[in-house]
Amino acid sequence: AVTRIDALHRNREYWSALAADCAAPGNALPAPLRAGIISLALFVGRHSSAVMAGTGDVADLIAINRMMIDGLADAAVAATPS
């Protein structure tokens, strides 16, 4: 069974990979968007540690993930040919 710590660790790994991709040379996303994603990833890393230590609220991480999912879903709909 996946524990809360496991889930937090996997989420942090996802955001770290996303940040690394945004920092990679040749990434075609606009610089401000890449910077925003990297900033979110740094926050997620710090906040995940706080949640694991019992001093942070997991709801903040869930909200960030939901906003990212919603943004990606909106972008997918916008990119779908009519």
Side-chain angles (χ1 to χ4, degrees), residues 3 5 10 12 15 17-18 20 23 29 43 47 49 52 60 73 76 79 81:
T3 67
I5 298 297
R10 288 180 187 166
R12 185 172 22 202
W15 279 97
L18 195 56
L29 291 175
F43 173 82
H47 199 69
S49 295
M52 289 178 191
D60 297 328

Side-chain angles (χ1 to χ4, degrees), residues 65-80:
N65 287 350
R66 285 191 176 145
M67 284 186 279
M68 180 64 88
I69 290 166
D70 290 346
L72 291 171
D74 291 345
V77 168
T80 303

Side-chain angles (χ1 to χ4, degrees), residues 25-56:
N27 186 298
L29 291 175
L33 179 57
R34 290 193 323 265
I37 291 170
I38 292 168
S39 292
L40 277 174
L42 293 170
F43 173 82
V44 166
R46 287 189 308 270
H47 199 69
S48 294
S49 295
V51 173
M52 289 178 191
T55 59

Side-chain angles (χ1 to χ4, degrees), residues 12-26:
R12 185 172 22 202
E13 286 181 326
Y14 163 77
W15 279 97
S16 293
L18 195 56
D21 188 54
C22 285

